[in-house]
């Protein structure tokens, strides 16, 4: 991660616009403060990816908040190629004043140079492939797929510098770490899945109770009367796993990541706090 930060810092002078890619389910928790340091004053578009997995009302609330703070922000679903044209138009809008001045000087317009920065597993490689129109970047549903930097041409309008994901070395807030873990930004092998499942169940009980009931054949009484630990035990039994709580926990996390538990946003929009 230190190497990735150093390389990004060195190359940032070469680009016009930064795309800061975050997970729409945790738009604030997936904003790496190290990336903010790298970006500095460079024009930036905050892109909330995986919007299909997030609560649409919460996503809109986050977009409204960021724009009220003077931060350009758009929501996309790179996996299903939704919102990409809107993002490209936003990039063009950012650069329009610069190109207008260049045109007045008689300087021909050139491709816009982009850099995508974000934490691991935020969908950078998928977004790049949607931009380019063919598989130029490795993709995978696990952190750390992109290993090095390289320039990619996107038609005649853009040139894009691909970079590895940058995860911060220490979380000041344990809640942020849990959210990153639940959404897959941290390798599962480093985690206790039962702790994550309990954290997720607590959120779902409060915000997605109906989905939780339907998915795991629970009753209203189960949600009202059982503690989160007992709820995990009940779901384990409903899965036919007897007392294999670890496997049940893995299934619950997988269900969340694969959208089987509906659209959910773990970060509460500021305007709702």
């Amino acid at each position: 991660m230190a190497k990735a930060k150093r390389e990004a810092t060195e190359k940032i002078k070469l680009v016009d616009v930064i795309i800061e890619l975050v997970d729409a389910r945790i738009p604030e928790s997936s904003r790496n403060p190290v990336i903010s340091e790298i970006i500095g004053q460079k024009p930036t578009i905050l892109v909330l990816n995986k919007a299909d997995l997030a609560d649409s009302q919460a996503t809109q609330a986050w977009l409204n908040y960021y724009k009220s703070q003077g931060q350009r922000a758009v929501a996309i679903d790179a996996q299903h190629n939704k919102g990409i044209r809107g993002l490209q138009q936003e990039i063009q809008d950012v650069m329009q004043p610069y190109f207008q001045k260049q045109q007045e000087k008689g300087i021909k317009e050139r491709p816009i140079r982009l850099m995508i920065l974000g934490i691991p597993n935020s969908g950078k490689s998928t977004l790049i492939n949607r931009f380019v129109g063919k598989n130029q970047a490795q993709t995978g549903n696990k952190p750390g797929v992109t290993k090095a930097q390289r320039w990619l041409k996107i038609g005649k309008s853009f040139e894009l510098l691909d970079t590895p994901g940058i995860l911060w070395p220490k979380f000041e807030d344990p809640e942020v770490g849990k959210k990153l873990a639940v959404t897959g930004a941290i390798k599962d092998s480093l985690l206790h899945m039962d702790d994550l499942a309990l954290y997720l169940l607590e959120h779902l009980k409060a915000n997605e109770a109906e989905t939780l009931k339907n998915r795991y054949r629970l009753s209203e009484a189960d949600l009202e009367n059982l503690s989160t630990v007992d709820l995990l035990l009940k779901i384990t039994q409903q899965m036919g796993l007897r007392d294999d709580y670890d496997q049940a926990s893995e299934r619950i996390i997988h269900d969340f990541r694969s959208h089987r538990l509906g659209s959910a946003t773990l970060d509460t929009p500021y305007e709702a706090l």
Side-chain angles (χ1 to χ4, degrees):
M1 294 302 172
K3 180 182 178 183
K5 177 186 176 183
R6 186 176 65 252
E7 291 180 349
T9 302
E10 290 171 354
K11 296 289 178 60
I12 201 166
K13 297 175 182 177
L14 303 176
V15 301
D16 302 306
V17 179
I18 302 294
I19 296 174
E20 183 183 358
L21 198 64
V22 298
D23 189 321
R25 295 168 294 180
I26 51 170
E28 195 63 17
S29 294
S30 55
R31 294 192 78 181
N32 185 345
V34 171
I35 289 177
S36 298
E37 293 174 15
I38 295 171
I39 291 172
Q41 300 301 312
K42 185 72 68 171
T44 305
I45 300 172
L46 186 65
V47 178
L48 283 63
N49 190 28
K50 305 186 181 182
D52 57 314
L53 304 180
D55 178 271
S56 58
Q57 290 184 332
T59 298
Q60 188 57 55
W62 275 112
L63 291 175
N64 293 342
Y65 168 75
Y66 288 126
K67 289 175 182 177
S68 74
Q69 300 299 303
Q71 171 65 64
R72 287 179 179 266
V74 298
I76 68 168
D77 169 12
Q79 183 67 39
H80 302 100
N81 205 20
K82 295 180 180 178
I84 306 302
R85 288 187 180 179
L87 171 56
Q88 292 177 334
Q89 184 58 55
E90 193 78 17
I91 296 168
Q92 297 278 8
D93 290 347
V94 170
M95 290 298 294
Q96 191 55 43
Y98 171 79
F99 284 135
Q100 183 68 38
K101 290 180 180 178
Q102 294 296 91
Q103 190 176 24
E104 291 170 0
K105 296 177 182 178
I107 301 174
K108 188 177 179 181
E109 192 169 314
R110 58 165 175 75
I112 299 172
R113 298 173 188 136
L114 308 171
M115 178 189 286
I116 298 179
L117 292 174
I119 64 171
N121 204 33
S122 56
K124 293 187 302 301
S125 297
T126 302
L127 174 57
I128 290 167
N129 289 336
R130 294 293 176 260
F131 261 151
V132 177
K134 53 187 176 181
N135 290 338
Q136 284 278 357
Q138 288 180 293
T139 61
N141 189 25
K142 59 181 180 179
V145 171
T146 305
K147 302 298 184 183
Q149 293 180 331
R150 57 188 179 141
W151 285 97
L152 301 171
K153 288 186 178 296
I154 306 172
K156 296 181 180 179
S157 300
F158 305 101
E159 292 178 350
L160 189 146
L161 181 62
D162 185 17
T163 58
I166 302 174
L167 193 66
W168 48 107
K170 181 181 179 181
F171 308 116
E172 299 297 332
D173 183 354
E175 191 87 356
V176 170
K178 289 177 183 176
K179 291 175 181 178
L180 291 168
V182 166
T183 53
I186 301 172
K187 291 180 180 178
D188 289 343
S189 59
L190 303 175
L191 310 165
H192 295 292
M193 299 301 280
D194 55 340
D195 288 342
L196 291 186
L198 291 171
Y199 171 79
L200 179 59
L201 287 174
E202 192 70 39
H203 173 86
L204 295 173
K205 272 178 64 179
N207 300 281
E208 306 290 339
E210 201 63 32
T211 301
L212 200 57
K213 281 167 50 183
N214 294 337
R215 178 65 185 171
Y216 301 121
R217 305 186 308 281
L218 302 170
S219 67
E220 195 72 41
D222 290 332
L223 294 180
E224 290 180 359
N225 301 324
L226 295 179
S227 68
T228 310
V229 172
D230 288 335
L231 191 61
L232 175 58
L233 304 186
K234 179 70 180 281
I235 292 173
T236 302
Q237 293 167 2
Q238 294 289 70
M239 289 178 173
L241 296 173
R242 299 186 65 181
D243 58 355
D244 192 347
Y245 313 126
D246 288 337
Q247 188 174 348
S249 296
E250 289 179 11
R251 284 195 190 180
I252 292 168
I253 298 298
H254 182 265
D255 283 349
F256 174 76
R257 292 175 182 171
S258 58
H259 208 199
R260 292 189 177 95
L261 292 173
S263 302
T265 299
L266 301 181
D267 278 351
T268 304
Y270 282 148
E271 64 185 44
L273 291 175

